[in-house]
Amino acid sequence: QVQLVQSGAEVKKPGASVSVSCKTSGYSFTGYYIHWVRQAPGQGLEWMGWVYPNSGGTSFAQKFQGRVTMTRDTSITTTYMELNRLRSDDTAVYYCARARLGDFSFDYWGQGTLVTVSS
Amino acid sequence: DIVLTQSPGTLSLSPGERATLSCRAGQSVSSNYLAWYQQKAGQAPRLLIFGASRRATGIPDRFSGSGSGTDFTLTISRLEPEDFAVYYCQQYGSSLWTFGQGTKVEIK
């Protein structure tokens, strides 16, 4: 069965960086885009960008350009999202999600990783 | 970016009632790229509807999606206790994905 399993919660200070991993299994890793979506406490969903495991290509929402990196390691079917220069308003649950082929909706999601930014 | 506006913000209904949720786009959206998700507290979102009207695997037929252009609707024909949650619409266009702000369906 398809599974996306994320790394555990993180606490970071403002200005630091955080890396969240997303280990996938149960399907062809290089055949599907992986997206990252975040959700601040009590707020809605915010799309951050995607990584294509086949090529390593990426695309980001303008809001995060210059501050986010998304990479993959095909040997362990894992993608990573790194966010730099953290601010308090980056406190959120970060999700990875697999995009369906064709219509690009997100059919499988990780369990979420809480990142807390606090001095 | 295409802005999605969901209404109402909160819908207070009783089990067995019909729920109608609206998602309006700031400009035309391809029906192929309009999806709906359900999110319960402390859980990841779950895909309900893709392509505006197609149910995802395992989604009960009391959930249905419709609409085109700038106006889309998610209908839950008869609310079950497990349907009380927050619902989000999402669109893809011009290499960007956006979500609506969500509609909370709560027990009246």
Side-chain angles (χ1 to χ4, degrees):
Chain A
Q1 71 282 22
V2 175
Q3 287 191 308
L4 284 69
V5 179
Q6 299 181 222
S7 50
E10 302 266 10
V11 179
K12 297 292 183 180
K13 294 193 182 301
S17 299
V18 69
S19 180
V20 180
S21 67
C22 174
K23 165 72 175 172
T24 69
S25 60
Y27 72 97
S28 173
F29 177 65
T30 55
Y32 293 80
Y33 288 71
I34 293 292
H35 291 247
W36 289 86
V37 175
R38 76 177 186 179
Q39 186 171 38
Q43 303 302 308
L45 303 169
E46 181 175 31
W47 176 74
M48 299 180 68
W50 56 254
V51 56
Y52 186 43
N54 192 332
S55 62
T58 56
S59 181
F60 310 123
Q62 187 169 12
K63 174 178 181 177
F64 300 101
Q65 286 181 6
R67 210 161 63 93
V68 71
T69 304
M70 296 180 187
T71 58
R72 91 294 190 216
D73 186 336
T74 56
S75 68
I76 55 172
T77 64
T78 298
T79 63
Y80 302 89
M81 186 282 300
E82 181 172 325
L83 190 61
N84 303 313
R85 302 191 298 279
L86 290 168
R87 307 186 292 255
S88 58
D89 61 357
D90 291 317
T91 294
V93 176
Y94 290 75
Y95 294 100
C96 61
R98 189 187 82 163
R100 281 172 45 89
L101 300 174
D103 63 270
F104 309 127
S105 59
F106 302 163
D107 58 354
Y108 289 92
W109 294 68
Q111 81 277 18
T113 297
L114 175 61
V115 175
T116 303
V117 183
S118 174
S119 55
Chain B
D1 298 12
I2 296 179
V3 175
L4 299 179
T5 302
Q6 294 186 238
S7 61
T10 302
L11 202 49
S12 298
L13 295 168
S14 301
E17 290 194 293
R18 181 184 188 90
T20 302
L21 288 67
S22 172
C23 176
R24 179 159 292 177
Q27 59 193 82
S28 186
V29 171
S30 169
S31 295
N32 291 332
Y33 303 137
L34 193 288
W36 290 91
Y37 299 83
Q38 176 193 67
Q39 187 179 34
K40 298 180 181 179
Q43 296 184 17
R46 177 173 73 144
L47 177 65
L48 297 176
I49 300 287
F50 63 92
S53 61
R54 290 182 276 181
R55 278 187 298 275
T57 302
I59 301 304
D61 60 8
R62 64 180 181 273
F63 291 92
S64 63
S66 63
S68 64
T70 59
D71 290 298
F72 297 88
T73 300
L74 175 69
T75 302
I76 311 171
S77 58
R78 287 177 56 86
L79 283 163
E80 297 288 340
E82 62 269 26
D83 299 336
F84 292 92
V86 180
Y87 294 83
Y88 294 95
C89 57
Q90 176 210 41
Q91 71 83 37
Y92 159 74
S94 302
S95 301
L96 297 172
W97 282 256
T98 54
F99 290 92
Q101 83 280 17
T103 289
K104 181 179 181 180
V105 179
E106 66 175 21
I107 299 177
K108 186 174 181 180

